[in-house]
């Protein structure tokens, strides 16, 4: 290699020094002279460079280079230029069957541009009503039908605006009036939907299709293993216990997928063994495996599932052998030993307080009090502990001394979330007799209102932030979106009506976390803007852009729809399902979590289908679209935190 000489560099100066002349003629001559002075090699390189720039700026070509052309999206070739992404099926966002909602693109025209659809599904124009000082501004989409049949979202003008379901609302009317019109619109939609069984059947069928597709991938590439890796057509193990299969059992039963259920049942009966030298996480295996087996036993009456539940339940008990009786996080179900994580003797508060529904039920079914006693002891201790703030709990608890650690940090998200959920649900499960649970729940909700609730700017979305040593942070995990559903459930069971009001506000916020993303799918964590003059309500940090196919928002939509019958919640769920289909469905079977909800062209799939997608997300979507209140009646069942329904105990129990 020779050292670079001056000849190896191309230097182009756009204007001669000291002779700058703005005349077009001069510039043309000057450029031409410079061009002539270049060597042939230099000219060729420049021409090649310009040619490449031209190519790259032509979208069809860049898409081709990135493997995004329609024809190639469904191929499975492992070309170097093509990332795994193209295996994710492109599915157009389609209108909710038979509903004709204007919130979705007009797909009867073949030339609907995918880009417009993406833009449509992601763009929300948030308009502050200048004349309205009484209430928060309304969030509105504006759709415009173009000559070529496409539907686009356009910037909000002052005159007419379009409501959630497409009703034209006068921008100058006040909020109350606009709300009335909106709900009138919903009433109309309710009427249409309520009178159309076909519509309900289509919605339910769409969820079944999604389930079958996910199941096919699991069956083909991960059968009997914990999780499907749909892109690499393989699997990953966490506990090595067929986690997805067990988590999905009651979903198949509820969806009426008998054939699939029978196959899975045979696997549980003949292949599943818990006599394995394996460490499992107490919380995860309780909510997914014990919960899944117990609920399937209840739905089917098949005692094989109860026997399996007893087996795993008893193998998890060594976790409670700690100095404080606050359980360790991990248990070896083969050896009967338990331990905390390697780096700490702490357990997570949500984990030790979200195993109660399952262990209590196991005691009731077996008439063996040891399970219930162990988890009740945890609740008793947590109830008495110092370090709470208005009923809010810290995130960690020490298994040696039973005290909270890392105090002063309060969140409704990861590591604390289901503590609150299980306070309410245990109270419901036990027939609303255990007053202490109810008091702790109601106090905690007051604590949320006092310390964690804020409004975003500019649109006034109500959100639940976090508190760290007195400092408020406007950060909200997607996990917090269980809260609207839980609040609504409490209101249904007789708690104050303002819980329902808050549930509705938070539900809207959780849906906005989807709607305002370019893919129409929520990121894992968002940050809300609170300062006046913000141009958008929601920001997402780079590290938080992933979507794991989580259920919390559709879970809450299910509760809100069940209790209000407001069809907008079904519409929202439908849009979310469409976007899961569009951005996470893998052509060869299964769905994948993605790394980036902000770039519809490059979602960066993670190659993993979490078991809760089948256990929870699709189950809640199905229940959301069902108009049968008897399908898992909320007066007879309470869902554990993994969406496994357990019976509310009869009052004689
Ligand atoms: C599930 O395992 C449960 O819903 C849990 O309570 C929270 N995390 C996942 C789903 O996001």
């Amino acid at each position: 290699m020779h050292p670079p000489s001056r000849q190896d560099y191309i230097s182009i100066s756009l204007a001669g020094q000291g002779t700058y002349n703005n005349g077009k003629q001069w510039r043309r001559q000057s450029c031409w002279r410079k061009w002539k002075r270049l060597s042939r090699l230099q000219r060729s390189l420049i021409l090649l460079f310009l040619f490449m720039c031209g190519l790259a700026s032509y979208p069809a070509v860049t898409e081709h280079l990135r493997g995004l052309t329609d024809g190639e999206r469904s191929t499975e070739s492992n070309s170097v230029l093509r990332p795994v992404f193209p295996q994710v099926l492109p599915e157009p966002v389609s209108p909710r069957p038979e509903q004709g909602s204007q919130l979705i693109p007009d797909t009867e025209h073949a030339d609907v541009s995918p880009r417009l659809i993406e833009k449509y599904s992601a763009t929300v124009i948030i308009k502050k009503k200048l004349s309205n000082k009484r209430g928060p501004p309304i969030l509105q989409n504006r759709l415009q039908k173009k000559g070529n049949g496409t539907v686009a979202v356009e910037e909000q003008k002052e005159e007419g605006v379009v409501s959630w379901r497409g009703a034209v609302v006068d921008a100058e009317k006040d909020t109350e009036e606009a709300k009335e019109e909106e709900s009138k619109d919903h009433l109309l939609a309710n009427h249409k939907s309520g009178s159309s069984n076909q519509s309900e059947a289509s919605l339910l069928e769409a969820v079944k299709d999604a389930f079958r597709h996910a199941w096919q991938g699991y069956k083909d590439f991960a059968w009997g293993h914990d999780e499907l890796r749909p892109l690499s057509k393989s699997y990953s193990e966490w506990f090595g216990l067929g986690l997805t299969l067990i988590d999905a059992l009651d979903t198949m039963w509820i969806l009426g997928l008998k054939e699939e259920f029978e196959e899975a049942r045979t696997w549980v009966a003949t292949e599943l063994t818990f006599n394995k030298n394996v460490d499992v996480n107490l919380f995860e295996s309780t909510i997914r495996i014990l919960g899944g087996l117990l609920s399937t036993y209840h739905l089917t009456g098949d005692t094989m599932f109860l026997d399996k539940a007893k087996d795993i339940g008893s193998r998890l008990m060594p976790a409670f052998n700690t100095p404080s009786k606050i359980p360790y996080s991990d248990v070896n179900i083969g050896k009967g030993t338990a331990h905390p994580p390697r780096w700490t003797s702490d357990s997570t508060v949500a984990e030790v307080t979200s195993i109660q529904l399952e262990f209590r039920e196991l005691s009731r079914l077996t008439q063996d009090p040891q399970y219930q006693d162990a988890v009740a002891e945890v609740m008793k201790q947590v109830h008495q502990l110092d370090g709470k703030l208005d009923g809010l709990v810290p995130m960690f608890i020490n298994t040696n001394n039973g005290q909270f650690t890392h105090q002063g940090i309060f969140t409704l998200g990861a590591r604390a979330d289901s503590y609150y959920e299980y306070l309410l649900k245990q109270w419901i499960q036990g027939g609303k007799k255990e007053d202490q649970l109810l008091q702790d729940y109601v106090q905690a909700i007051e604590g949320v209102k006092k310390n964690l609730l804020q409004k975003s700017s500019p649109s006034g979305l109500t959100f639940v932030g976090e508190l760290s040593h007195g400092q408020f942070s406007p950060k909200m995990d997607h996990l917090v979106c269980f809260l609207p559903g839980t609040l609504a459930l409490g209101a249904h069971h007789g708690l104050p009506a303002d819980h329902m009001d808050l549930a509705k506000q938070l539900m809207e916020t959780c849906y906005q976390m989807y709607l305002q993303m370019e893919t129409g799918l929520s990121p894992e964590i968002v940050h809300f803007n609170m300062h006046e003059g913000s141009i958008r309500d929601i920001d997402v940090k780079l590290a938080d852009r992933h979507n794991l196919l989580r259920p919390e928002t559709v879970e809450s939509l299910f509760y809100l729809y069940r209790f209000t019958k407001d069809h907008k919640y079904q519409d929202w769920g439908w849009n979310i399902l469409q976007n899961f289909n569009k951005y996470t469905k893998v052509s060869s079977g299964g769905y994948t979590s993605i790394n980036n909800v902000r770039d519809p062209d490059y979602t960066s799939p993670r190659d993993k289908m979490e078991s809760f997608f089948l256990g929870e997300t699709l189950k809640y979507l199905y229940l959301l679209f069902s108009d049968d209140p008897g399908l898992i009646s909320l007066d007879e069942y309470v869902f554990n935190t993994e969406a496994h329904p357990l019976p509310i105990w009869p009052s004689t129990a």
Side-chain angles (χ1 to χ4, degrees):
M1 287 269 292
H2 64 92
S5 71
R6 287 193 67 184
Q7 283 299 310
D8 292 326
Y9 295 101
I10 301 167
S11 122
I12 300 175
S13 136
L14 289 175
Q17 277 179 348
T19 58
Y20 182 72
N21 178 330
N22 207 22
K24 278 184 191 162
Q25 177 74 6
W26 181 90
R27 264 186 279 136
R28 239 179 271 134
Q29 283 174 2
S30 167
C31 281
W32 179 245
R33 252 184 259 127
K34 282 177 190 296
W35 177 253
K36 295 273 279 181
R37 262 190 253 134
L38 295 175
S39 73
R40 192 178 290 173
L41 173 68
Q42 287 173 321
R43 283 189 216 157
S44 312
L45 284 172
I46 290 173
L47 286 174
L48 183 66
F49 174 71
L50 291 173
F51 178 65
M52 294 298 285
C53 286
L55 267 186
S57 65
Y58 189 60
V61 175
T62 44
E63 286 193 357
H64 175 81
L65 289 173
R66 289 167 63 181
L68 299 178
T69 57
D70 282 349
E72 290 185 41
R73 272 190 171 132
S74 56
T75 66
E76 288 152 12
S77 145
N78 287 325
S79 151
V80 180
L81 278 175
R82 193 164 45 239
V84 282
F85 172 76
Q87 293 177 35
V88 179
L89 281 182
E91 287 225 347
V93 174
S94 59
R96 176 184 155 161
E98 305 290 312
Q99 298 288 317
S101 163
Q102 292 178 49
L103 276 179
I104 30 90
D106 179 356
T107 50
E108 60 186 51
H109 301 274
D111 59 349
V112 173
S113 144
R115 283 191 188 284
L116 278 177
I117 293 173
E118 279 152 13
K119 190 177 169 203
Y120 153 76
S121 61
T123 309
V124 178
I125 306 303
I126 299 172
K127 181 181 183 304
K128 212 159 194 165
K129 293 180 69 178
L130 297 172
S131 60
N132 173 26
K133 302 262 188 306
R134 273 177 279 175
I138 311 168
L139 302 175
Q140 285 144 342
N141 280 356
R142 182 172 176 85
L143 310 182
Q144 279 211 346
K145 196 156 180 179
K146 301 223 163 155
N148 63 1
T150 58
V151 178
V153 182
E154 288 212 351
E155 177 128 14
Q156 189 57 64
K157 301 283 185 315
E158 284 301 315
E159 346 58 67
V161 294
V162 179
S163 81
W164 287 112
R165 291 184 59 85
V168 175
V169 176
D170 184 343
E172 296 310 312
K173 283 184 186 169
D174 69 22
T175 307
E176 289 311 311
E177 237 181 297
K179 271 187 189 160
E180 272 174 31
E181 275 212 44
E182 198 180 16
S183 69
K184 268 188 230 149
D185 194 31
H186 292 145
L187 271 182
L188 190 63
N190 287 354
H191 176 72
K192 266 197 210 162
S193 167
S195 63
S196 167
N197 287 334
Q198 177 54 39
S199 172
E200 183 188 352
S202 309
L203 295 167
L204 297 175
E205 199 51 43
V207 184
K208 282 192 195 181
D209 282 347
F211 186 96
R212 285 191 202 100
H213 186 84
W215 188 249
Q216 195 60 50
Y218 178 75
K219 211 175 137 181
D220 288 349
F221 310 120
W223 184 252
H225 298 286
D226 282 344
E227 291 145 337
L228 169 67
R229 299 186 61 211
L231 293 163
S232 51
K233 299 183 180 173
S234 59
Y235 57 84
S236 53
E237 295 292 28
W238 190 3
F239 310 141
L241 297 173
L243 207 55
T244 295
L245 189 149
I246 300 174
D247 226 359
L249 284 167
D250 57 5
T251 305
M252 290 184 270
W253 186 263
I254 291 167
L255 268 58
L257 298 172
K258 293 210 174 102
E259 222 173 274
E260 291 85 347
F261 177 83
E262 282 308 325
E263 252 180 309
R265 187 213 175 269
T266 304
W267 185 88
V268 174
T270 59
E271 306 281 328
L272 177 63
T273 171
F274 296 124
N275 189 13
K276 272 188 161 180
N277 178 8
V278 61
D279 275 353
V280 302
N281 174 284
L282 170 69
F283 163 73
E284 298 290 357
S285 50
T286 298
I287 65 169
R288 301 186 198 213
I289 299 175
L290 179 56
L293 292 168
L294 286 173
S295 72
T296 308
Y297 162 66
H298 278 295
L299 295 176
T300 62
D302 184 340
T303 52
M304 185 274 292
F305 294 110
L306 179 57
D307 292 341
K308 293 284 179 187
K310 286 182 200 164
D311 190 11
I312 184 69
S314 60
R315 287 171 187 275
L316 292 173
M317 288 306 283
F320 295 89
N321 295 334
T322 70
S324 66
K325 297 189 179 156
I326 300 296
Y328 290 132
S329 59
D330 297 280
V331 196
N332 187 304
I333 53 173
K335 290 187 191 160
T337 54
H339 59 88
R342 241 173 270 131
W343 58 92
T344 177
S345 54
D346 291 349
S347 284
T348 296
V349 170
E351 292 195 358
V352 301
T353 56
S354 310
I355 49 179
Q356 278 65 15
L357 290 177
E358 300 81 356
F359 278 93
R360 282 157 50 114
E361 178 60 9
L362 190 58
S363 272
R364 192 178 73 98
L365 290 171
T366 58
Q367 294 294 302
D368 179 349
Q370 64 161 320
Y371 308 109
Q372 171 147 7
D373 290 350
V375 294
E377 173 66 23
V378 179
M379 293 311 296
K380 187 176 129 208
Q381 289 194 36
V382 171
H383 171 76
Q384 291 164 349
L385 280 182
D386 289 336
K388 292 187 204 163
L389 173 70
D390 301 319
L392 304 175
V393 290
M395 296 188 291
F396 296 97
I397 187 165
N398 189 272
T399 51
N400 291 324
N401 62 25
Q403 300 298 310
F404 288 132
T405 65
H406 302 83
Q407 294 198 29
I409 304 176
F410 301 99
T411 172
L412 264 274
R415 299 188 182 278
D417 49 0
S418 42
Y419 161 73
Y420 305 100
E421 180 187 350
Y422 269 38
L423 286 175
L424 177 74
K425 288 182 171 178
Q426 286 179 78
W427 176 70
I428 294 170
Q429 178 190 43
K432 306 185 198 175
K433 292 176 195 145
E434 296 151 286
D435 291 343
Q436 200 165 78
L437 292 166
L438 176 64
Q439 281 162 17
D440 284 355
Y441 175 73
V442 173
Q443 192 198 4
I445 298 305
E446 291 308 309
V448 170
K449 288 190 211 163
K450 183 172 160 197
N451 301 288
L452 303 181
L453 218 56
Q454 284 292 348
K455 297 249 184 212
S456 69
S457 175
S459 321
L461 296 173
T462 303
F463 70 93
V464 182
E466 299 186 350
L467 206 62
S468 176
H469 306 289
Q471 276 285 106
F472 181 80
S473 160
K475 163 180 179 280
M476 180 164 150
D477 295 353
H478 182 272
L479 288 168
V480 180
C481 290
F482 80 93
L483 189 58
T486 297
L487 286 166
L489 180 66
H492 173 74
H493 281 284
L495 300 191
D498 71 325
H499 284 210
M500 191 61 179
D501 298 338
L502 181 56
K504 288 178 183 171
Q505 290 172 39
L506 291 172
M507 189 73 263
E508 170 116 11
T509 304
C510 288
Y511 183 56
Q512 288 296 327
M513 286 162 61
Y514 285 70
L515 196 61
Q516 296 196 23
M517 297 303 116
E518 286 75 358
T519 54
L521 292 174
S522 172
E524 178 74 355
I525 300 170
V526 298
H527 284 76
F528 289 91
N529 283 317
M530 290 173 66
H531 45 272
E532 257 186 55
S534 302
I535 50 168
R536 58 176 175 272
D537 293 82
I538 298 177
D539 282 332
V540 185
K541 295 194 187 305
L542 272 181
D544 304 334
R545 294 170 159 204
H546 48 291
N547 179 296
L548 304 184
L549 313 171
R550 283 196 192 278
E552 290 76 18
T553 294
V554 295
E555 167 185 355
S556 286
L557 287 172
F558 154 64
Y559 285 105
L560 269 284
Y561 178 69
R562 220 3 119 86
F563 299 135
T564 67
K565 289 288 164 215
D566 187 336
H567 279 257
K568 78 179 177 193
Y569 299 122
Q570 286 190 326
D571 287 343
W572 296 357
W574 177 252
N575 290 342
I576 291 171
L577 175 60
Q578 293 301 292
N579 290 321
F580 276 135
N581 278 334
K582 188 170 181 198
Y583 293 107
T584 71
K585 190 173 179 179
V586 179
S587 55
S588 47
Y591 288 73
T592 178
S593 44
I594 56 175
N595 276 318
N596 187 1
V597 297
R598 306 233 56 176
D599 186 349
D601 291 333
Y602 202 77
T603 53
S604 178
R606 285 194 159 193
D607 194 16
K608 183 162 173 173
M609 184 173 78
E610 302 277 351
S611 78
F612 51 68
F613 184 63
L614 299 188
E616 296 194 70
T617 310
L618 293 178
K619 183 188 290 153
Y620 281 129
L621 279 166
Y622 188 84
L623 292 171
L624 165 66
F625 296 144
S626 167
D627 271 316
D628 178 2
L631 183 62
I632 317 294
S633 159
L634 291 171
D635 295 313
E636 290 169 23
Y637 287 95
V638 62
F639 286 90
N640 85 341
T641 193
E642 189 75 5
H644 299 303
L646 298 173
I648 295 173
W649 298 342
S651 47
T652 49

